[in-house]
Amino acid sequence: MPALPEPGTGSAHVSLVDRVEELLAADGPLPIVAAGDPVLRHTTAPYDGELGPALLARFVAALRLTMRAAPGVGLAAPQVGVPLRIAVIEDPAPVPPEMALVRGRVPQPFRVLVNPSYAPLGAERIAFFEGCLSVPGWQAVVARPTEVRLTGLDETGNAVDEVFRGWPARIVQHETDHLDGVLYLDRAEPRSLASNEAVAERWSQPTPRTAAEALGFPLPPGPVTG
Ligand code: ZN
C-alpha cells in the first residue's frame, strides 16, 4: 500500500515538476506546441507554488527566451506543454508610427502574468489581424474589447490589478485566453483567415477595413474603422 503523499508533494505536483525539469534540461528555446494538442484546449490550474521559487524563475526565463526567439509578443505555459496558469508578455512595438497610433501599439515591457483574469471595461471593441505561435503561418481578424482590467499576481506573488488599453490589452487577452483553453481562432472572423504571406502582401494596412470589404467579414462599429 503506497504511503500517503506529503502535503504539496502529491503525484500531480511531482509530475508537473518533473515535466518542467525535463523541459529545462535542454538549453535554448522550448518547443512550441501547435494547435491540435489537447494541452491548448484545457483550462489550466491556478499556480499555487507547485514549482517553488527557483524552478519558477528558471521556467519564466525559458518562456521569455522562447517568446523572444520565436519571435512573439506573448507566450503562455500551455504553449510549451505545461498546464499552469502562467504567461509572459513583451512587445518592443517595432511598427511604423501610423500603425502604432491606430492600433495603440505602445511598447509593453516584459511582464509575467500569474493566475491572470481579465474583464472588459466598457463596450468598445476593436478589430485587427492577430496571430499565434501555436497556429504558425496564419492570421485572422479578432474583435476584442479595447480596454480591459487585468487582475492576478506577478512572479513574486504580488497582486496585480491594472487597466490595459490598445495593443497591450489585446496581448493580455490573447495570453489569458490560452490559460482558459481558448485560441484566438475561437474568437476570430472565419472569413478573415489569411496566410502570413497574404497579410504581408495585401493586408498590412493599419486597420482591417480593406480586408473586410475584400474578404467579406464584418467589423465592429467603432471610432477606428478607416
Ligand atoms: Zn497564442
Coordinates of all heavy atoms in Angstrom, one line a residue, residues 74 79 131-134 174-175 178 183-184, ligand 1:
G74 N 4.0 37.4 -26.7 CA 3.5 36.7 -25.5 C 3.6 35.2 -25.7 O 3.7 34.7 -26.8
Q79 N 1.5 26.6 -24.1 CA 2.1 26.6 -25.4 C 3.5 25.9 -25.4 O 4.0 25.6 -26.4 CB 2.3 28.0 -25.9 CG 1.0 28.7 -26.2 CD 1.2 30.0 -26.9 OE1 1.4 31.0 -26.1 NE2 1.2 30.1 -28.2
G131 N -2.2 36.9 -34.7 CA -1.7 35.5 -34.9 C -1.3 34.9 -33.7 O -1.4 35.5 -32.6
C132 N -0.8 33.6 -33.8 CA -0.5 32.9 -32.6 C 0.7 31.9 -32.9 O 0.7 31.3 -33.9 CB -1.7 32.1 -32.1 SG -1.4 31.0 -30.7
L133 N 1.6 31.8 -32.0 CA 2.8 31.0 -32.2 C 2.4 29.5 -32.3 O 3.1 28.7 -32.8 CB 3.8 31.2 -31.1 CG 4.4 32.6 -31.0 CD1 5.4 32.7 -29.8 CD2 5.2 32.9 -32.3
S134 N 1.2 29.2 -31.8 CA 0.7 27.8 -31.8 C -0.1 27.5 -33.1 O -0.6 26.4 -33.3 CB -0.1 27.5 -30.6 OG 0.7 27.5 -29.4
H174 N -5.3 37.7 -25.3 CA -4.8 36.6 -26.1 C -4.2 35.5 -25.1 O -4.5 34.3 -25.2 CB -3.9 37.0 -27.2 CG -3.4 35.9 -28.1 ND1 -3.7 35.8 -29.4 CD2 -2.6 34.8 -27.8 CE1 -3.1 34.8 -29.9 NE2 -2.4 34.1 -29.0
E175 N -3.2 36.0 -24.3 CA -2.5 35.1 -23.4 C -3.3 34.5 -22.3 O -3.2 33.3 -22.0 CB -1.2 35.8 -22.9 CG -0.2 36.3 -23.9 CD 0.1 35.3 -25.0 OE1 0.2 34.1 -24.6 OE2 0.3 35.6 -26.1
H178 N -5.4 31.7 -23.6 CA -4.7 30.5 -23.7 C -4.8 29.7 -22.3 O -4.9 28.4 -22.4 CB -3.2 30.7 -23.9 CG -2.8 30.8 -25.3 ND1 -3.0 29.8 -26.2 CD2 -2.2 31.8 -26.0 CE1 -2.5 30.1 -27.4 NE2 -2.0 31.3 -27.3
L183 N -8.3 29.5 -28.0 CA -7.4 30.0 -29.1 C -8.0 31.2 -29.7 O -9.2 31.3 -29.8 CB -7.1 28.9 -30.1 CG -6.3 27.7 -29.6 CD1 -6.1 26.7 -30.8 CD2 -4.9 28.1 -29.0
Y184 N -7.2 32.1 -30.3 CA -7.7 33.3 -30.9 C -8.7 33.0 -32.0 O -9.6 33.7 -32.3 CB -6.6 34.2 -31.4 CG -6.0 33.9 -32.7 CD1 -6.4 34.6 -33.9 CD2 -5.1 32.9 -32.9 CE1 -5.9 34.3 -35.1 CE2 -4.6 32.6 -34.2 CZ -5.0 33.3 -35.3 OH -4.5 33.0 -36.5
Ligands
ZN1 ZN -1.3 32.4 -28.9

